[in-house]
Amino acid sequence: MTQDELKRATARAAIDYIAPKLEADGIVGVGTGSTANFFIDMLAEIKGRFDGTVASSEASAERLKSHGIPVYDLNAVDGIQVYVDGADEANAALELIKGGGAALTREKIVAACSDEFVCIADESKWVPVLGTFPLPVEVIPMARSLVAREIVKLGGDPIYRQGVTTDNGNVILDVHNLHITQPRALEEAINNITGVVTNGLFAHRPADLLLLGTAAGVKTFT
Ligand code: 5RP
């Protein structure tokens, strides 16, 4: 199977998982990226069976609207029943690296508001230890060099993601050469650097369920 076929299979598994439990007034949190795009296109098939969505990026909001799926501002809803999103890496504790699509801050906010976080990913994202994928860090532009120097002190090699501005008007540093054996501690340490908006480690709020697309079928991890 191709990687896209695996992504499509995990998106379908997420639809099958959430559809029976969606409430008529329920809000679905929707992530960002190619796997999330497959999910959005399939979510259109069951629109009308829930109230609407909150999107983790402008791109996902536009895609949802193109299907006629309502998109709400997060401040206009009381909570999110379930959040479905992809990941760049996932480990056995369902801790994640996210932000390859530069949407990490809004993704983390949506995850924090959600009763349940369902991660959808193909098997290439499954790792024993996080950190092979460079860890994205969203930074206030004027603090870019300051934050980079502080990250070097933590043992990482930050690379400025040229030409990318986040939906929040900030920049991204991708931190290479990390071997993240203590994800929660590193998430805290990076967030404590002045000028950091957030980082792409989802350890304090990991996924609740991982649907992993493999050649042998979609595997479920909790
Ligand atoms: C965007 C993300 C994505 O979930 C992550 O990059 C995975 O993307 P894809 O589904 O295209 O592999 O965190 O910020």
Side-chain angles (χ1 to χ4, degrees):
M1 285 173 92
T2 66
Q3 192 175 20
D4 271 358
E5 285 169 338
L6 296 178
K7 289 179 180 187
R8 206 177 282 115
T10 181
R12 175 60 64 194
I15 294 289
D16 292 345
Y17 175 76
I18 69 167
K21 47 205 246 167
L22 279 180
E23 293 158 10
D25 62 352
I27 301 293
V28 179
V30 177
T32 299
S34 56
T35 317
N37 281 344
F38 286 124
F39 174 75
I40 291 170
D41 296 345
M42 294 172 191
L43 192 64
E45 299 164 10
I46 57 168
K47 71 179 178 189
R49 289 167 59 179
F50 55 96
D51 184 356
T53 61
V54 169
S56 67
S57 64
E58 300 296 339
S60 290
E62 287 312 309
R63 197 174 186 103
L64 287 159
K65 288 178 196 165
S66 77
H67 285 298
I69 301 172
V71 181
Y72 293 111
D73 185 291
L74 181 60
N75 296 301
V77 302
D78 289 332
I80 294 173
Q81 194 185 342
V82 60
Y83 170 45
V84 180
D85 197 359
D88 299 300
E89 282 187 351
N91 69 14
L94 307 194
E95 297 164 326
L96 312 171
I97 286 182
K98 292 184 47 53
L104 60 156
T105 299
R106 294 190 187 192
E107 290 171 342
K108 206 172 258 196
I109 293 168
V110 174
C113 271
S114 299
D115 295 339
E116 186 175 13
F117 177 8
V118 176
C119 182
I120 51 176
D122 66 86
E123 60 190 343
S124 71
K125 312 294 181 66
W126 182 252
V127 295
V129 178
L130 300 172
T132 302
F133 189 92
L135 176 64
V137 180
E138 180 164 355
V139 176
I140 301 288
M142 74 170 288
R144 194 182 85 216
S145 297
L146 165 67
V147 172
R149 286 193 294 271
E150 294 300 314
I151 285 174
V152 168
K153 290 180 195 166
L154 292 175
D157 294 325
I159 303 287
Y160 174 38
R161 201 184 293 182
Q162 300 273 355
V164 171
T165 303
T166 70
D167 285 348
N168 314 305
N170 299 313
V171 297
I172 298 284
L173 294 174
D174 291 307
V175 185
H176 294 248
N177 300 321
L178 292 172
H179 185 73
I180 307 173
T181 52
Q182 297 185 57
R184 288 170 67 97
L186 187 64
E187 183 177 2
E188 286 167 25
I190 295 177
N191 280 346
N192 275 340
I193 300 171
T194 302
V196 168
V197 178
T198 195
N199 71 80
L201 269 173
F202 283 58
H204 279 274
R205 203 302 179 222
D208 299 304
L209 181 76
L210 170 64
L211 298 170
L212 191 72
T214 78
V218 177
K219 294 184 179 166
T220 302
F221 297 88
T222 53

